[in-house]
Amino acid sequence: MDEIDIVRLDRGNAGEYRAQVPDSDAVARLTWIVRGDGAAAVRVAEHTLVPRALEGRGIARRLVDALIEDARREGFRIEPQCSYVAAQFQRHPEWAALRA
């Protein structure tokens, strides 16, 4: 698999995970907003966007994996508004406790 660099950008009540590979200037993103406060806060996964130049490399899945890892580590739950994220939750019943 290609080397994929994923970073998380937090902007208050919104943010995104960004993925880039060494051979491309294209950037894939998974965007989210925060709904609620404190322990009841939920991250709404809004959109997963992978440019054509990056398709077929498993990047969207890696973006979702980063979101899941952070949810486990930080204790937030996820509302999968994005159809891709929702499909990944269907494929991974072990993530059920993280779903809002």
Side-chain angles (χ1 to χ4, degrees):
M1 176 176 286
D2 293 323
E3 180 181 329
I4 301 171
D5 183 31
I6 297 178
V7 296
R8 183 173 106 182
L9 303 172
D10 292 300
R11 297 184 183 104
N13 287 334
E16 64 184 38
Y17 292 87
R18 301 181 112 209
Q20 201 162 12
V21 295
D23 64 345
S24 177
D25 290 333
V27 176
R29 305 179 316 145
L30 187 159
T31 63
W32 52 268
I33 59 170
V34 174
R35 185 177 298 146
D37 295 314
V42 170
R43 283 209 186 147
V44 179
E46 294 183 302
H47 304 286
T48 303
L49 310 158
V50 179
R52 243 184 238 290
L54 300 179
E55 288 179 351
R57 299 182 184 201
I59 294 173
R61 171 59 199 269
R62 295 281 303 275
L63 290 166
V64 175
D65 287 345
L67 175 65
I68 294 296
E69 287 175 28
D70 285 351
R72 286 181 174 144
R73 184 176 48 254
E74 298 173 25
F76 61 82
R77 294 187 330 155
I78 301 164
E79 180 182 323
Q81 188 176 67
C82 165
S83 61
Y84 182 80
V85 177
Q88 289 302 313
F89 266 92
Q90 289 294 329
R91 288 185 184 101
H92 295 277
E94 69 274 17
W95 296 352
L98 299 175
R99 189 172 187 154

